[in-house]
Amino acid sequence: MSAYGTSVGINFRYDGTVANTMQAHRLVQHYQEERGEAVADKLITSLYSQYFEEAQHPSAPETLLRAATTAGVAEGEAKAFVDDKDEGLQDVKMLIRDQSGNGVDSVPYIVIEGRRRDLTLVGAKEVQEYVKALEQVAKESK
């Protein structure tokens, strides 16, 4: 991982806390619904950077607040949401249950929809495996 990260400017650290990420998922889900994909992408980028490069706790209120403000959410609004640990929690748990019922039990879980069949890639894969799957779907879709 270190070599892959370094090649794209990510300096992975391995001394952070491994912890439950439910509150981070709640934050991303809420702002994805409220503000859209662009804000969710900025949240995720900040959360990943803080966790993987700065060894910050993934669901600490400070981590979540910094991610939200970095994504353009006003500090007061973000703090109110982060402090209310229940808002949207049941929605996230329901989404997780739904996906578990569909057989999703790991990340990433990628489904490439094809014309004749779908291809599913479960877990971390090499880039070439994604390319091969995309080429296969394109070939079958002609």
Side-chain angles (χ1 to χ4, degrees), residues 80-99:
F81 183 79
V82 168
D83 288 347
D84 180 356
K85 294 182 178 357
D86 293 325
E87 184 179 348
L89 183 60
Q90 291 307 315
D91 295 334
V92 172
K93 287 182 176 182
M94 183 185 70
L95 290 167
I96 292 169
R97 273 193 303 275
D98 288 349
Q99 291 308 308

Side-chain angles (χ1 to χ4, degrees), residues 13-61:
R13 287 182 51 181
Y14 300 98
D15 58 331
T17 302
V18 176
N20 186 304
T21 58
M22 183 65 71
Q23 291 299 318
H25 283 87
R26 183 179 73 87
L27 181 78
V28 172
Q29 181 65 31
H30 174 76
Y31 284 109
Q32 181 170 318
E33 288 179 5
E34 293 292 316
R35 302 278 181 94
E37 189 175 317
V39 170
D41 285 346
K42 289 176 185 174
L43 280 167
I44 292 167
T45 298
S46 177
L47 290 167
Y48 281 177
S49 176
Q50 290 183 73
Y51 180 69
F52 290 113
E53 296 182 89
E54 300 171 24
Q56 299 299 311
H57 188 291
S59 284

